Every structure is written in structure tokens, then in C-alpha cells.
Amino acid sequence: MQYIDKNTWPRRGHFDFFAPMSNPFYSLTFPVDVTALRRYTKSHSLSFYYSMVFAVTKAMERVEAFRYKCRADGQIVYHQRLVPSFTDLTPGSDLFHITTLEAGGDMADFCRRAREESRSQTEFITRGPWDEDELIYFTCLPWFPITSLTNERDMVPTDSVPRAAWGRYEEREGRTVLSLSLELNHRLLDGVHVGMLYEELNAFLRAL
């Protein structure tokens, strides 16, 4: 992590514009073609959910703007990585828990570690050595497709943690598509950065 000098930060003007707003957050949803991911996870016996968490994490890391964070003390920091924190159902129960672990560099390894961590977890949520704003919050509603989604939150304008969610994927004209919903802080992220994320995610999935 490094601290950013706001006086030389190119985004300073945009940040100052959105900073006085009590609700600087916005949400959007867009379709993602996950045909290749579904095929890959089936052929390699991987969890589609964990694989999607990994793919979105890696795509966000590749867009520099997603790694800038604002803090309550007014500081701007830049992280070298992002850490997925995701909901998961407890086997045999309708209750969920929240599992957090580093993505690492290999999708299959992440899926293995995510399953092990989630299955062995006995608490609702565990805390790791990471700063809160290193995290990405993930959730999934696999029982139905979604067109939009908002998460619960305390209205803290410095909240820099992206929220990512999706529902059940659908078959459309021979392709598998799901809607990815994001909640972001406009102090740090604009539509152009979501466009970059969209391109990075699609590139990651096409390469499978």
C-alpha cells in the first residue's frame, strides 16, 4: 500500500466534486457472456461461483482506478492487490457466511482454497490481516436471474469497497449470459473505469 499526494493526483478535481455528497455511490448492471467460463469450469471440475469471483477480482486488479481508496482521515491510498470477500451457503442450511481469502494467481488453486476455507469456517465472518478497503464484497443469488441489485450499507461516504453481485445465468441464442451488478463510489470510479473493467473481464474469460 502507498499513500497518494492529493496535490499531484490527477483525479483530485473529480474527487473534490463528489466528496461533499452524502451519497456518492452509484450502481449499474450489465450482461457478461460466461459461456467460456461455464465450459472451462465444467471440464476442470471447478466451482462456477468461485471461478467467477476470481475472474472479477483479477479484472478489477487490472484496472488501476479500482485500487485507489479514500479513507475517513482524508488520505488516498493505493493497493497492490484486491482481496475477495464472498457470501457462501453453509451446507445443509439456508444460512450464509462470509469467507475472505486472497485470490492468488491461479484460478483452480483459488477454487480449492475457497472451498476448503468456506467448508471449515464456523463463524459467520472471519477477519484477516487485510485493510478493509483492500476487499471486494461479492454475493450471488443463483436461484433467479437479476436485472439490478443494491446491498445494505452504512451511508459512509468514504466507503471504497466495491460490491459485485450476480444471479442465475441464462441461455440466450446458444450463449450463457449473466447480469453483473456493481455498486461503486463516484469519488474514485467513473463509467469509463467500469468500461475498462468490462473489457478486462471479457478478455480474461475469452482466454480460458
Side-chain angles (χ1 to χ4, degrees):
M1 182 195 74
Q2 68 183 94
Y3 288 93
I4 303 300
D5 181 357
K6 282 199 289 189
N7 294 319
T8 59
W9 187 36
R11 191 173 175 79
R12 174 66 184 268
H14 294 72
F15 178 86
D16 288 347
F17 176 80
F18 292 107
M21 299 180 183
S22 61
N23 181 6
F25 307 103
Y26 67 99
S27 61
L28 45 78
T29 305
F30 53 83
V32 178
D33 186 333
V34 293
T35 307
L37 181 64
R38 190 180 178 200
R39 181 175 60 246
Y40 185 89
T41 54
K42 277 188 173 183
S43 64
H44 290 78
S45 300
L46 300 177
S47 160
F48 178 88
Y49 176 45
Y50 298 153
S51 298
M52 186 67 180
V53 168
F54 181 86
V56 174
T57 300
K58 292 290 121 178
M60 283 192 182
E61 284 184 336
R62 292 176 182 177
V63 180
E64 184 178 287
F66 276 88
R67 294 194 262 162
Y68 286 98
K69 309 293 177 175
C70 56
R71 294 188 165 173
D73 61 2
Q75 295 276 5
I76 303 296
V77 300
Y78 180 77
H79 290 298
Q80 300 302 317
R81 64 177 178 190
L82 298 173
V83 179
S85 183
F86 56 90
T87 63
D88 209 0
L89 280 178
T90 302
S93 171
D94 61 357
L95 299 176
F96 72 92
H97 55 271
I98 298 173
T99 299
T100 305
L101 72 161
E102 294 175 21
D106 181 80
M107 187 162 69
D109 177 66
F110 173 75
C111 290
R112 177 188 58 78
R113 290 185 294 109
R115 180 175 296 277
E116 290 176 356
E117 186 77 16
S118 178
R119 293 294 173 87
S120 64
Q121 187 169 319
T122 57
E123 301 173 87
F124 170 66
I125 186 170
T126 55
R127 307 293 179 185
W130 313 284
D131 292 330
E132 183 74 15
D133 54 19
E134 279 187 273
L135 305 181
I136 309 167
Y137 294 157
F138 287 96
T139 193
C140 177
L141 296 91
W143 310 279
F144 47 83
I146 65 169
T147 55
S148 65
L149 182 145
T150 57
N151 285 278
E152 77 297 331
R153 69 163 76 230
D154 289 324
M155 198 55 68
V156 179
T158 54
D159 185 344
S160 301
V161 179
R163 274 78 164 164
W166 54 87
R168 187 176 65 199
Y169 50 64
E170 301 177 278
E171 299 299 329
R172 300 179 188 172
E173 299 179 351
R175 310 298 293 177
T176 305
V177 179
L178 61 73
S179 293
L180 176 61
S181 177
L182 300 176
E183 290 181 87
L184 306 170
N185 192 325
H186 221 328
R187 288 180 171 188
L188 302 165
L189 295 160
D190 304 323
V192 64
H193 304 120
V194 181
M196 293 175 185
L197 170 65
Y198 179 76
E199 293 300 325
E200 290 290 352
L201 180 58
N202 283 325
F204 182 94
L205 297 176
R206 284 195 302 267
L208 292 174

